[in-house]
Amino acid sequence: MKSTNNYNGDTLRRVTKLFLIIAIGASCYWLNNIFITSSILVAALAVEWYTQKKLTNKVKDIIGDGEGHSFSDIEKLISGYKSGMNEAASLISALGQEGERKFESLKEDDQLAVSIKAVDQKLKDYTEEERKRNWGVEGLAKFGEILRSHDIEISELSKIVISNLVQYLNANQGGLFLLKRAEGDEYLELMSCYAYGKTRIREKRIEIGQGLIGQCVLEKDTIYLLDVPQDYVQITSGLGEATAANVIIVPLKINEVVYGVVEIATFDPLKKYQVAFVEQLAENIASVFASLSNNEKTKELLEEANTLTSELQSREEEMRQNMEELTATQEEMSRNQAELNGVFGAINKTIASVTFELDGSIIDANDIFTSITGYTKEKLLNLNYLKIIPDEDRDKPQTKLMWTNLREGKFFNGEFKLKDIEGKELWLTGTFNPINNIDGEPYKIMMFAQFNTAEKEKQKDLTGTVMALKNTTPIMELNADGTFKNANELFFDQFGYKRLELRKKPFLEFIKDKTFEEEIPDIIHRLEDHQFIENDLVFIDSSGNLKSYRTTFTPIFNLEDKLSKIVVVLIDREVVMKL
C-alpha cells in the first residue's frame, strides 16, 4: 500500500507539470507582451502549487481513512482535479482577452478562480490603457503629417484638419475658426466646417466675446458642454435633424496667444483622454497657423530668388556669345558684391546679429549684441541659446518647435526675450534665418534683431498715464464725422447717460450753444491737419443740467495717416480757474 501511494504521488506530479507546461507554452505563444506573459507565468505557478498541494492532501485523506478505497477512487479524484487543472490552464491562456471568465470544474469562490479573475481584470485594464495611449500617439502622428503640408493654403489645410478630426473622434460635426484682424477690429472667421461626411461651405463671422466660441477666445480655455441647450447645434442627415448632446470648444493657442478656435459636436460624450488629445492637437494647429504667414513671405522671397536666377542664367548665355559683355558683366558683379558687402556692413552697424550652430550653440555675435547684453565674444562662444533666454522659456514647446523648424530650413520672425549677462530681461524683434550649404541643407542659423526694451518700457509708462487720465477726467471718443463712439466710465457717471443711448449721437447734442454747429466742420478740418484744439464749452447732462468744461480735441490717425477718431477731454472749469 505504501508503494502505491508513492506511485500515485509521482504520477500526479508528472501529470500536473505536463499540463502546466502545455498551458504556459500556449499562453506565451499567443501573448508576446512581457507584462502579460509574466502575469500568466505567475498564474500557472499558482495552479501547479495549488493543485499539487490540494490533490496530495486529498489522496492522503482517502488512503488514510481506513475504509478500503480502491485505486479507481483515486483515479476519479485525479480525473476531477485534472479537469479543474485543464480548465484553469485554458482560462490562463485567455487572460486579458475580451469576454467573461466562467468556471465549470472550479468553483467561483475558489481561491484559484478568484486569483485568475483578478489577473484577468488587471490585464484587461492594462490593455485598455495601452489602447488609449496608442490612439493618442497615432492621432498626433497622423495630424503631424497633415500639418506639415505647409505648401497648401490655410483654407484647404483647415478643411483637411477639421474633416479628419471629426472622423478620428467619431464625432458628428466640427468647425474651425481663425482669428482675423482688419483695421484694428478682431473677429473669428469660420474657415471650414464638416458634418456627416459632407463639407458645408458658408460664410460666418463671430465677434470676440460673442457666444461660447467668442467667449472661448477671451478665456483662453476649453469649454466642454455635456448638456447642450436646445437648437444650439443642429446636425442634419438624410433621416432628419437632431441636436448634439455634447459640444467641446478648444482655443487654438500657443504661448497664451489665441489664433483661433475648434468646435466639435457629438452625440456621445468624449472621454478624458480624447479631450486631452484635442487640446494637444489644438496647440499644434496654432503653432502651424502662426508660422504660415511667415512661410508665405518666405515663398515670395523664393519666387523673387527664382526670378533672379533665371535672369542670371540668361545673362550667362549672353556672356558666352560676347566676351566684351562678359567683362562688363564681371565688372558689374564686382560692383554689386562691393555694394552687398556695404549693405551687410551697414546692417552689422545698425542691428544686432548672432550666428548659431544647428544645435543652438553660438558661433559669433556682432558688437551691438555684445555691448547691449554685456557679454564678450569669448564668453558667448559655444554658449547655447537656451542659456541666454529667461528660465521660464527654456522648456516651452514653442522654443523646441522653433529650433526644430529652423533645423528643417524654416524661418522664424517675431518678438522674443533674451537676458543679459546680469540676468536682466531684454526684448527684441527680429528673425532667425537658416543658412544653407551648396547642397541646399541648413548648416547654421543667423539671427538679426533690434532691441526694443526701451520702447516696451515707454509703452508701459504711456499705458499707465492713459489709465490715470481716464480715472480722473471725463473722456469722450468721437468718430471722424463728429458722432459719438465711446467714453470712459467717469463720463457716464457725471452725465448720467447709458452707453447704448449715445451710439452715433452727434457731438452737438451735448452742447448748450447750438451755434457751435457752424464751427464743427472747421474743427474737423483743423484736426485732419494735425492741429490740437481747445475750447470752453457748456455741456448738457441727461437731466438737463449745465456743466462748464475746458474742452480739448485731439486727433488720432490710422496707419494711412487718415483721421480715425477724435479724443475729447473735459476738464471742469472750476478746476481750471483754480490752477
Side-chain angles (χ1 to χ4, degrees):
M1 188 69 178
K2 183 176 180 181
S3 61
T4 303
N5 289 342
N6 291 335
Y7 172 77
N8 291 339
D10 292 338
T11 303
L12 288 176
R13 291 187 184 92
R14 293 191 188 98
V15 172
T16 300
K17 290 182 179 180
L18 175 61
F19 280 96
L20 283 172
I21 292 171
I22 295 173
I24 294 171
S27 301
C28 295
Y29 178 80
W30 292 106
L31 301 174
N32 56 6
N33 185 284
I34 296 176
F35 173 78
I36 298 175
T37 304
S38 299
S39 300
I40 293 174
L41 288 173
V42 172
L45 291 173
V47 172
E48 179 182 11
W49 176 86
Y50 177 84
T51 303
Q52 179 177 337
K53 180 178 180 181
K54 192 168 184 179
L55 182 57
T56 302
N57 291 338
K58 190 66 177 179
V59 171
K60 288 181 179 179
D61 291 341
I62 292 175
I63 296 174
D65 62 4
E67 296 183 5
H69 291 283
S70 66
F71 188 74
S72 61
D73 294 330
I74 298 176
E75 286 181 340
K76 290 180 182 180
L77 178 63
I78 293 173
S79 177
Y81 278 95
K82 179 181 177 181
S83 297
M85 183 186 66
N86 288 339
E87 183 179 57
S90 177
L91 291 171
I92 289 173
S93 66
L95 287 178
Q97 299 177 12
E98 295 183 0
E100 184 180 357
R101 304 291 164 256
K102 296 182 179 180
F103 299 90
E104 295 179 359
S105 299
L106 295 174
K107 296 181 180 180
E108 292 286 341
D109 58 350
D110 192 288
Q111 183 179 358
L112 179 58
V114 172
S115 299
I116 290 176
K117 282 186 176 181
V119 174
D120 181 58
Q121 187 58 46
K122 289 181 180 180
L123 290 177
K124 287 180 179 178
D125 294 342
Y126 174 81
T127 302
E128 177 63 16
E129 289 301 318
E130 279 291 289
R131 185 192 67 80
K132 293 177 181 179
R133 187 185 69 83
N134 291 336
W135 181 88
V137 171
E138 291 172 3
L140 291 177
K142 172 182 178 179
F143 284 94
E145 289 294 328
I146 294 174
L147 293 174
R148 281 193 288 271
S149 303
H150 287 182
D151 55 337
I152 62 178
E153 297 180 352
I154 293 179
S155 59
E156 184 65 23
L157 181 59
S158 301
K159 293 177 184 177
I160 297 173
V161 168
I162 196 61
S163 62
N164 278 274
L165 180 56
V166 170
Q167 295 177 52
Y168 196 74
L169 293 173
N170 289 325
N172 306 98
Q173 191 174 27
L176 194 151
F177 301 79
L178 287 187
L179 190 64
K180 298 288 186 177
R181 296 178 177 86
E183 298 181 356
D185 185 24
E186 287 189 339
Y187 61 93
L188 287 166
E189 180 180 346
L190 178 65
M191 298 302 296
S192 179
C193 63
Y194 183 87
Y196 281 100
K198 298 184 296 182
T199 302
R200 299 178 181 177
I201 303 174
R202 58 181 178 176
E203 294 183 358
K204 188 170 184 180
R205 169 175 170 150
I206 296 179
E207 303 298 331
I208 304 302
Q210 176 188 351
L212 292 176
I213 294 177
Q215 192 66 28
C216 180
V217 176
L218 293 179
E219 296 178 0
K220 300 181 180 180
D221 200 3
T222 299
I223 297 175
Y224 189 21
L225 298 179
L226 294 176
D227 188 10
V228 176
Q230 189 67 22
D231 298 333
Y232 175 78
V233 176
Q234 287 291 335
I235 297 179
T236 304
S237 73
L239 301 177
E241 294 186 352
T243 300
N246 311 276
V247 171
I248 183 171
I249 305 170
V250 182
L252 305 177
K253 70 174 182 178
I254 184 170
N255 197 22
E256 292 303 316
V257 177
V258 177
Y259 294 92
V261 170
V262 62
E263 180 187 36
I264 300 294
T266 65
F267 287 129
D268 299 321
L270 295 178
K271 303 296 189 299
K272 288 184 179 180
Y273 73 94
Q274 292 176 312
V275 174
F277 167 77
V278 176
E279 291 176 334
Q280 177 62 52
L281 179 60
E283 184 175 330
N284 296 347
I285 295 172
S287 175
V288 172
F289 284 171
S291 64
L292 278 178
S293 58
N294 296 332
N295 292 344
E296 291 176 357
K297 293 180 181 179
T298 303
K299 184 178 180 180
E300 293 176 0
L301 292 175
L302 289 175
E303 290 176 353
E304 293 178 3
N306 290 334
T307 301
L308 180 59
T309 301
S310 298
E311 293 177 358
L312 291 175
Q313 290 174 349
S314 177
R315 290 180 182 179
E316 183 180 0
E317 182 64 25
E318 293 176 359
M319 286 188 293
R320 290 194 187 98
Q321 298 174 2
N322 195 319
M323 290 301 296
E324 292 181 359
E325 293 181 5
L326 175 61
T327 302
T329 302
Q330 289 176 337
E331 293 175 353
E332 183 180 356
M333 291 177 63
S334 298
R335 289 194 297 270
N336 290 340
Q337 185 62 46
E339 182 179 350
L340 184 61
N341 292 338
V343 170
F344 275 112
I347 292 175
N348 208 34
K349 293 179 181 178
T350 55
I351 63 176
S353 68
V354 181
T355 305
F356 299 92
E357 297 279 9
L358 292 181
D359 63 356
S361 302
I362 297 176
I363 303 173
D364 192 16
N366 68 354
D367 294 338
I368 294 179
F369 185 86
T370 56
S371 63
I372 295 179
T373 59
Y375 288 100
T376 62
K377 290 187 177 182
E378 290 74 16
K379 288 184 177 181
L380 285 174
L381 189 63
N382 295 325
L383 190 65
N384 195 274
Y385 172 80
L386 297 178
K387 297 294 184 181
I388 61 173
I389 64 175
D391 296 342
E392 64 271 15
D393 293 341
R394 292 178 182 173
D395 296 326
K396 286 185 176 180
Q398 302 93 299
T399 304
K400 296 179 180 179
L401 179 62
M402 182 188 79
W403 280 95
T404 298
N405 288 338
L406 288 172
R407 284 188 282 268
E408 292 177 357
K410 301 171 185 176
F411 291 78
F412 169 82
N413 71 341
E415 195 174 57
F416 51 94
K417 290 186 294 184
L418 299 179
K419 61 181 182 180
D420 64 13
I421 194 171
E422 296 179 353
K424 180 182 176 182
E425 289 189 356
L426 302 172
W427 282 91
L428 301 91
T429 301
T431 64
F432 286 77
N433 308 276
I435 307 300
N436 295 339
N437 56 24
I438 58 176
D439 296 324
E441 298 177 353
Y443 73 99
K444 67 179 180 179
I445 309 295
M446 291 197 69
M447 181 200 80
F448 297 99
Q450 289 183 325
F451 289 90
N452 59 350
T453 306
E455 288 76 5
K456 279 281 185 181
E457 293 175 350
K458 289 179 181 178
Q459 184 179 5
K460 186 176 181 180
D461 291 342
L462 179 60
T463 301
T465 302
V466 171
M467 290 302 299
L469 184 62
K470 285 185 176 182
N471 291 332
T472 56
T473 306
I475 299 175
M476 302 172 62
E477 292 183 6
L478 305 179
N479 294 306
D481 60 359
T483 58
F484 180 87
K485 181 177 183 180
N486 201 358
N488 65 350
E489 293 300 326
L490 192 58
F491 174 86
F492 291 113
D493 291 342
Q494 293 190 9
F495 281 79
Y497 288 109
K498 301 294 184 182
R499 191 179 301 272
L500 294 178
E501 297 179 69
L502 303 181
R503 188 171 180 82
K504 296 292 184 179
K505 186 173 182 178
F507 178 73
L508 184 64
E509 294 187 19
F510 297 97
I511 308 301
K512 175 188 176 185
D513 186 3
K514 302 305 179 183
T515 60
F516 184 71
E517 181 178 7
E518 300 175 358
E519 301 182 30
I520 290 180
D522 179 63
I523 289 177
I524 293 179
H525 178 72
R526 291 165 61 192
L527 290 172
E528 290 175 339
D529 198 30
H530 297 75
Q531 296 185 34
F532 173 84
I533 300 174
E534 187 175 68
N535 255 323
D536 290 331
L537 298 174
V538 178
F539 286 75
I540 306 172
D541 64 13
S542 61
S543 301
N545 300 319
L546 301 180
K547 297 183 180 182
S548 181
Y549 290 96
R550 171 67 55 83
T551 309
T552 60
F553 298 84
T554 304
I556 304 298
F557 297 90
N558 58 23
L559 295 177
E560 298 176 354
D561 201 32
K562 293 182 180 180
L563 183 65
S564 61
K565 66 179 180 179
I566 304 167
V567 178
V568 182
V569 180
L570 310 180
I571 304 177
D572 195 315
R573 283 280 299 158
E574 295 181 2
V575 176
V576 176
M577 296 301 294
K578 291 179 182 180
L579 297 177

